[in-house]
Amino acid sequence: MGLYLKFFSLHLKSQMQYKVSFFLTALGQFLGAFTAFLGIYFMFTRFNAIEDFSYEQALLCFAVILMAYTMAEMLGRGFDLFPQMLGNGEFDRALVRPMPIIFQVLAAKMDFTRFGRLVQAILVFCYAIPNSGVEWTGDKILTLCLMVACGSLIFFGLFLVYAAFSFFTVEGLEFMNVFTDGGREFGRYPFSVYGKNILRFLTFVIPLALFQYYPLLYLLDREQSVWYMLLPLVALLFLLPCYAFFRLGLRRYKSTGS
């Protein structure tokens, strides 16, 4: 952990060397995410509710997804750039170092300009939490924390799968953006609004609904079972096949000769 924090500090200091560029890029990230917020706002100016979810409750979903995705992308940026590591020979050097591969990829790149989106998620939380109609108790505060933390790990697992495909294709496969960027965009609303088949897929295949939709039902007292509170932890089982797929690709890896 101490070594990871050292890399964290180094990346932060290096990106802050050009402060104007850093803050302008962060502002761009904020404004980019703001367009998604406007989409929700204009939707609810026409409809009072979407599948019995109010505007503030939809904003709660939006903030959870945005914060989870942003944290995963900010700290797991190395996996998004993993195909470059394979192509330029950096990964070959990583293989001979006495450190875990995943740690080295994580430490290779962190993008703190995503902080702009994180700020927006915090601002949306500040509005949605007191206005969503949730009676906040200790278990519901814990549920919200689990939604964000476990959601970030699920997105990290998807980045890991994206990197694993690079072992077989050398170049990254853009279809994975359907589940990463697409998950962030579709997660602006409770996943049930997209129909039962989509909800099943996002429950049993790519478990985004396990940390977004079902715990939300618990927060809103539409479900009383404590299992709905704990489903974000169940979603972490998704990391096992993600890691296994990455290890499979690592065993099949052949150097590009760069």
Side-chain angles (χ1 to χ4, degrees):
M1 179 58 72
L3 184 57
Y4 179 79
L5 293 176
K6 182 68 173 179
F7 278 106
F8 184 96
S9 176
L10 289 173
H11 282 294
L12 181 60
K13 289 179 180 178
S14 66
Q15 292 175 39
M16 289 297 292
Q17 290 298 310
Y18 302 94
K19 293 181 176 60
V20 175
S21 176
F22 176 87
F23 286 111
L24 287 178
T25 305
L27 178 62
Q29 292 290 331
F30 180 92
L31 295 176
F34 189 68
T35 59
F37 168 77
L38 289 178
I40 300 174
Y41 174 78
F42 288 123
M43 176 71 75
F44 278 91
T45 59
R46 186 166 181 84
F47 303 100
N48 293 326
I50 296 180
E51 203 180 60
D52 296 328
F53 292 99
S54 68
Y55 171 60
E56 289 78 9
Q57 292 164 358
L59 284 183
L60 201 58
C61 286
F62 171 67
V64 166
I65 285 285
L66 183 62
M67 181 171 285
Y69 178 86
T70 300
M71 291 174 62
E73 188 181 33
M74 183 186 298
L75 301 178
R77 183 67 171 166
F79 286 101
D80 193 29
L81 302 177
F82 189 72
Q84 297 179 20
M85 291 186 66
L86 294 182
N88 61 21
E90 288 184 35
F91 188 70
D92 292 338
R93 292 196 294 270
L95 288 174
V96 300
R97 294 170 182 157
M99 293 295 295
I101 291 298
I102 288 181
F103 173 84
Q104 292 190 61
V105 177
L106 276 175
K109 181 65 176 178
M110 301 176 195
D111 191 348
F112 295 102
T113 60
R114 267 53 181 176
F115 180 74
R117 288 206 305 258
L118 193 62
V119 169
Q120 182 167 155
I122 293 171
L123 293 176
V124 174
F125 267 131
C126 290
Y127 173 78
I129 286 176
N131 295 290
S132 59
V134 177
E135 296 183 7
W136 293 100
T137 56
D139 60 325
K140 291 184 178 179
I141 294 173
L142 176 61
T143 301
L144 185 62
C145 293
L146 288 176
M147 291 168 71
V148 173
C150 296
S152 181
L153 290 172
I154 295 304
F155 278 118
F156 173 78
L158 290 172
F159 289 136
L160 190 63
V161 171
Y162 170 80
F165 273 116
S166 302
F167 286 120
F168 304 93
T169 63
V170 181
E171 295 293 333
L173 297 180
E174 292 301 320
F175 85 90
M176 285 298 300
N177 291 333
V178 173
F179 306 113
T180 52
D181 295 335
R184 181 193 66 195
E185 291 300 314
F186 288 116
R188 291 182 289 175
Y189 305 101
F191 283 124
S192 61
V193 305
Y194 302 110
K196 293 183 178 180
N197 291 331
I198 297 296
L199 183 59
R200 291 192 188 100
F201 179 82
L202 296 176
T203 300
F204 300 107
V205 182
I206 309 295
L208 299 180
L210 292 186
F211 74 85
Q212 187 248 42
Y213 173 66
Y214 297 108
L216 179 67
L217 299 181
Y218 183 81
L219 292 180
L220 299 176
D221 292 319
R222 299 186 185 184
E223 295 291 345
Q224 302 295 329
S225 174
V226 70
W227 285 108
Y228 282 79
M229 169 187 173
L230 299 176
L231 280 176
L233 295 175
V234 176
L236 296 183
L237 294 174
F238 177 69
L239 296 177
L240 297 178
C242 294
Y243 178 72
F245 184 51
F246 184 83
R247 296 297 301 179
L248 174 64
L250 184 60
R251 287 196 295 269
R252 296 172 61 90
Y253 170 68
K254 293 181 181 180
S255 173
T256 61
S258 298

